[in-house]
Amino acid sequence: MPILIPDELVSILRAARHIVVFTGAGISAESGIPTFRDALTGLWERFDASDLATADAFRRDRALVWGWYEWRRAKVMRAQPNPAHLAIAALEQVVPSFTLITQNVDDLHERAGSSAPIHLHGSLQSPRCSGCARPFEHPPGIPDEPEGGRHIEPPRCAHCGGGRIRPGVVWFGESLPEEAWRQAHKAVMDCDALFSVGTSSLVFPAAELPIEAARKNKVVIQVNPQPTRLDTVARFNLVGPAGSVLPKIYARTWHDVQDQP
Ligand code: OAD
C-alpha cells in the first residue's frame, strides 16, 4: 500500500511554528534494535523485556539484568541511525521551533544529528551506582557478549566501594527524570503539531503527552505500521514504517516532492 501524505497535513506542517516529535522503540526497529513488544530471540527467547526492566528483577538477579542491558548496549553501538532518525534531524533544521522527546535509551537520534533530544527514560550510556547514585563510566569500546550465557556481574562503584552499578535507564515503577518531564510537557503545551512515532502508547506517564496535546487542540500525527490506542486520538494516522513515512513527509512538505501513485 503506498503511503499518501494528505495535502491538509502538508499545509499544517508548513504553517507550524513549533513542532514536537515524540518517539518510541519503533523508530529504532529499522536499525535492528528489537522493540519491547517484539518476541526476543537467541539467548533471550525465554524472557520478556518488560520483566527484565524492573528494580525487582535487578534485586533478584542483577547479573541477568546487567547482562541484558549490556547485550542491548552492544546491539545499539553496532547499529546505525536509519532514514527515520535522519528525517527527524533534518526536520529540526527547517521548522522555526522544534523539540524532540524520546522514550528510547539508545543514542541513535544524537548520532543522526538531532541536537538535544529529551530522554524521558534515561540512557544506556549513563549508568550509575545503585547505592550512592554517582555516575559510572563504561569502559571504552563495545561490550563483549557474555560467554556461553546471559549473566554479567555489574561492576562495583569505585567511590562508595560496595554499591553495584545499575543501568541509567528508568525502570517500570520508577519516576521519570523531573527536568526532562518538565521540558517535555512545556514543549507539548507550546507546540502546534506533535508527531507520535513508533510507540505503542502503552507506557505512562510518557504516553500521556500525545493525548494531552490532542486535548489542547494540537494537531497529532501518528506514524506506526500497527494500530495503537492513539488511533482514535490522532488527527492523522500514517500507517507504515517510520523509515519510509518520515522521509516522505519531509520531502513532500519542505521540498515539494509529490507522492508517487
Ligand atoms: P514498544 O515496544 O511498546 O512499541 C513499539 C511500537 O513501535 C509498536 O507500536 C510497533 O507497532 C511500532 N513499530 C514497530 N516497527 C516500527 C517501524 N518500523 N516504524 C514505526 N513504528 C514501528 O515501545 P515504546 O512504545 O517505546 O520503557 O515503549 C515504551 C516504553 O516501554 C519504553 O521506553 C520502555 C518500554 O518498556 C522503559 O524501559 C521504562
Side-chain angles (χ1 to χ4, degrees), residues 24-26 29-30 35-37 103-104 121 170-172 198-201 203 223-226 228 240-242:
E30 290 163 81
T35 71
F36 290 87
R37 315 296 141 186
Q103 297 166 87
N104 296 344
H121 290 164
V170 176
W171 280 328
F172 286 104
T199 172
S200 55
S201 299
V203 177
V223 179
N224 199 312
Q226 302 293 333
T228 78

Side-chain angles (χ1 to χ4, degrees), residues 127-142:
R128 64 176 188 274
C129 176
S130 57
C132 70
R134 283 203 185 81
F136 171 83
E137 205 157 311
H138 281 301
I142 299 178

Side-chain angles (χ1 to χ4, degrees), residues 107-174:
D107 59 355
L108 293 172
H109 281 306
E110 286 90 336
R111 282 156 57 197
S114 287
S115 66
I118 298 173
H119 281 273
L120 291 182
H121 290 164
S123 156
L124 288 171
Q125 297 294 357
S126 56
R128 64 176 188 274
C129 176
S130 57
C132 70
R134 283 203 185 81
F136 171 83
E137 205 157 311
H138 281 301
I142 299 178
D144 293 332
E145 292 276 331
E147 257 176 56
R150 294 172 290 266
H151 289 74
I152 306 178
E153 219 21 78
R156 279 184 192 280
C157 177
H159 298 281
C160 67
R164 289 293 179 162
I165 302 303
R166 60 158 283 174
V169 303
V170 176
W171 280 328
F172 286 104
E174 293 184 328

